[in-house]
């Protein structure tokens, strides 16, 4: 139980949660962090949170309990099924990704009503919210702005795009017909992430996973067959920059934000370019290509790069790692250490 302003992180056991918990523990050690995930936290981050709840975002009783016990004024709603996984169980994905998000938005609204302050609600969306119709259009579109090509082809992408709208509704139009001033308590802030690459964790169930999988496999000395063509290009970002961006956005002054949803980018290599730098670092690595046409189709519908001008202008998005630095200064050295080589 804590009546201090507290943080709730859902999906905290995933890749992004890992980095975010460490960042919050370092930057705001006095602010209690409560996590909710169907999986327990990795042992190295568990001691850094006040309370760890192993449970589901679909369980409203759990959320009511958090509501009764904590005074939450920041929510990081990270829990989701990723894009490849969601294509195997679309109805389940919709339940987790959409109903789960609705539960959390309701939770945040209730929290705000009970303590009277707005609740900053961070929501990670994705380049999967885009759907470019074909490769010539993708090549011609180049760096795509937020409001173009919002025609996703996956259940996950559709879920993310819809939840961006839900968040905007809770922030700006909630119960708009009620008498009196607006009762909206949710300060919804969303980033559309590119593919993320972490040196300490490997993603599960995503379609941009070929890049992180390639690097981790090479470092472990395992052969890897990449499931997309070498000329496939989408934006990527090193995990520390993703965590920095989250932190920057949630701490930005409200009045600086002109949008609820922001693209962010860092570098946009082809799969072949990723393979080449991995090969340079691990010359013995066995890397081949075995195209999975279906997953390839999904990646082909995602933009080659994103226009992140609004994030740079409004809240100073400034990734530290470009392609060379992401590999040379972060991924390769950290991964080598991790696998003991
Ligand atoms: N990287 C995620 C995926 O591939 C997209 O957000 O599913």
């Amino acid at each position: 139980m804590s009546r201090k302003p507290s943080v709730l992180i859902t999906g905290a056991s995933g890749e992004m949660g890992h980095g975010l918990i460490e960042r919050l523990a370092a930057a705001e050690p006095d602010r209690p962090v409560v996590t909710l995930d169907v999986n327990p936290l990795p042992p190295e981050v568990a001691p850094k949170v006040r309370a760890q709840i192993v449970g589901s975002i679909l369980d409203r009783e759990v959320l009511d309990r958090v509501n009764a016990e904590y005074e939450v004024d920041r929510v990081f709603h990270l829990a989701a099924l990723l894009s490849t996984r969601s294509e195997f169980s679309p109805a389940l994905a919709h339940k987790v990704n959409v109903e789960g998000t609705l539960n959390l938005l309701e939770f945040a609204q209730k929290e705000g009503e009970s303590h009277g302050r707005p609740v900053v609600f961070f929501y990670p969306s994705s380049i999967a919210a885009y759907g470019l119709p074909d490769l010539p259009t993708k090549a011609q579109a180049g760096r795509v702005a937020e409001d173009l090509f919002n025609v996703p082809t996956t259940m996950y992408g559709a879920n993310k795009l819809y939840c961006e709208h839900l968040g905007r509704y809770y922030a700006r139009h909630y119960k708009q017909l009620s008498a009196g001033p607006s009762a909206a308590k949710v300060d919804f802030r969303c980033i559309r992430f590119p593919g993320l690459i972490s040196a300490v964790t490997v993603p599960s169930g995503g379609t941009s996973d070929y890049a992180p999988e390639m690097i981790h496999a090479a470092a472990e000395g395992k052969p890897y067959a990449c499931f997309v063509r070498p000329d496939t290009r989408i934006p990527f970002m090193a995990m520390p920059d993703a965590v920095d961006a989250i932190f920057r956005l949630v701490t930005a002054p409200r009045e600086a934000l002109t949008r609820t949803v922001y693209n962010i980018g860092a570098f946009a290599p082809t799969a072949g370019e990723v393979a080449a730098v991995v090969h340079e670092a691990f010359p013995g690595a066995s890397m081949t290509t075995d195209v999975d046409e279906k997953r390839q189709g999904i990646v082909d519908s995602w933009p080659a790069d994103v226009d992140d001008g609004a994030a740079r202008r409004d809240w100073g998005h400034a990734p530290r790692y470009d392609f060379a630095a992401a590999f040379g200064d972060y991924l390769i050295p950290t991964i080598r250490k991790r696998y003991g080589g």
Side-chain angles (χ1 to χ4, degrees):
M1 162 93 83
S2 172
R3 285 288 146 211
K4 271 190 183 171
S6 305
V7 176
L8 173 66
I9 309 179
T10 72
S13 303
E15 284 211 285
M16 208 182 266
H18 197 281
L20 186 62
I21 290 170
E22 292 193 333
R23 178 67 197 255
L24 290 172
E28 302 180 331
D30 295 332
R31 201 183 253 263
V33 172
V34 184
T35 63
L36 173 59
D37 196 305
V38 285
N39 297 310
L41 287 175
E44 65 277 19
V45 294
K48 299 185 174 171
V49 307
R50 170 69 62 96
Q52 171 185 175
I53 303 168
V54 177
S56 167
I57 54 171
L58 297 174
D59 183 347
R60 294 222 187 91
E61 274 175 30
V62 172
L63 292 171
D64 287 345
R65 221 173 66 219
V66 179
N67 190 272
E69 292 182 11
Y70 294 89
E71 195 174 301
V72 173
D73 66 358
R74 250 191 225 171
V75 175
F76 296 89
H77 173 41
L78 312 180
L81 297 191
L82 292 188
S83 55
T84 288
R85 170 92 171 77
S86 294
E87 286 313 300
F88 288 102
S89 316
L92 174 67
H94 188 279
K95 215 176 180 49
V96 174
N97 295 349
V98 176
E99 284 177 38
T101 300
L102 183 68
N103 285 352
L104 264 298
L105 286 164
E106 277 290 311
F107 165 86
Q109 174 66 27
K110 263 194 222 157
E111 280 285 330
E113 284 170 11
S114 66
H115 56 57
R117 301 187 307 281
V119 174
V120 173
F121 189 110
F122 176 76
Y123 181 68
S125 185
S126 157
I127 48 166
Y130 290 107
L132 286 95
D134 49 50
L135 285 174
T137 310
K138 171 166 170 162
Q140 208 189 0
R143 304 177 72 223
V144 180
E146 283 87 349
D147 301 327
L148 298 172
F149 299 109
N150 294 157
V151 194
T153 66
T154 60
M155 175 53 96
Y156 172 80
N159 296 163
K160 286 291 181 191
L161 185 60
Y162 174 62
C163 288
E164 292 178 3
H165 289 300
L166 263 186
R168 186 173 48 78
Y169 169 77
Y170 271 78
R172 300 205 178 144
H173 307 290
Y174 180 73
K175 289 194 176 169
Q176 57 195 293
L177 297 184
S178 303
S182 163
K185 287 290 177 204
V186 180
D187 181 355
F188 181 82
R189 304 180 182 202
C190 168
I191 289 176
R192 257 191 217 160
F193 285 104
L196 298 177
I197 314 179
S198 165
V200 287
T201 52
V202 200
S204 63
T207 319
S208 60
D209 293 3
Y210 59 89
E213 282 173 359
M214 219 184 283
I215 307 162
H216 283 262
E220 279 184 281
K222 291 186 181 159
Y224 186 73
C226 180
F227 57 82
V228 294
R229 293 182 318 269
D231 68 336
T232 305
R233 189 186 296 283
I234 58 168
F236 282 101
M237 177 175 284
M239 188 61 87
D241 276 336
V243 172
D244 268 7
I246 297 175
F247 206 74
R248 252 180 228 217
L249 176 60
V250 299
T251 53
R254 182 77 200 92
E255 57 284 3
L257 305 181
T258 58
R259 320 178 44 91
T260 45
V261 176
Y262 289 91
N263 277 342
I264 61 170
F267 48 88
T270 63
E273 287 163 351
V274 174
V277 284
V278 174
H279 230 170
E280 210 171 290
F282 302 98
S286 154
M287 282 184 298
T288 50
T289 301
D290 182 9
V291 174
D292 174 335
E293 291 299 342
K294 293 178 176 164
R295 291 179 97 188
Q296 176 77 60
I298 292 176
V299 183
D300 285 344
S301 78
W302 294 349
D305 202 354
V306 290
D307 175 348
D308 61 4
R312 289 177 190 261
R313 275 191 306 277
D314 288 3
W315 47 273
H317 169 58
R320 273 179 294 163
Y321 297 108
D322 62 12
F323 185 48
F327 280 82
D329 301 347
Y330 167 64
L331 290 167
I332 305 291
T334 319
I335 281 183
R336 263 195 218 288
K337 238 188 258 161
R338 174 179 155 90
Y339 296 109

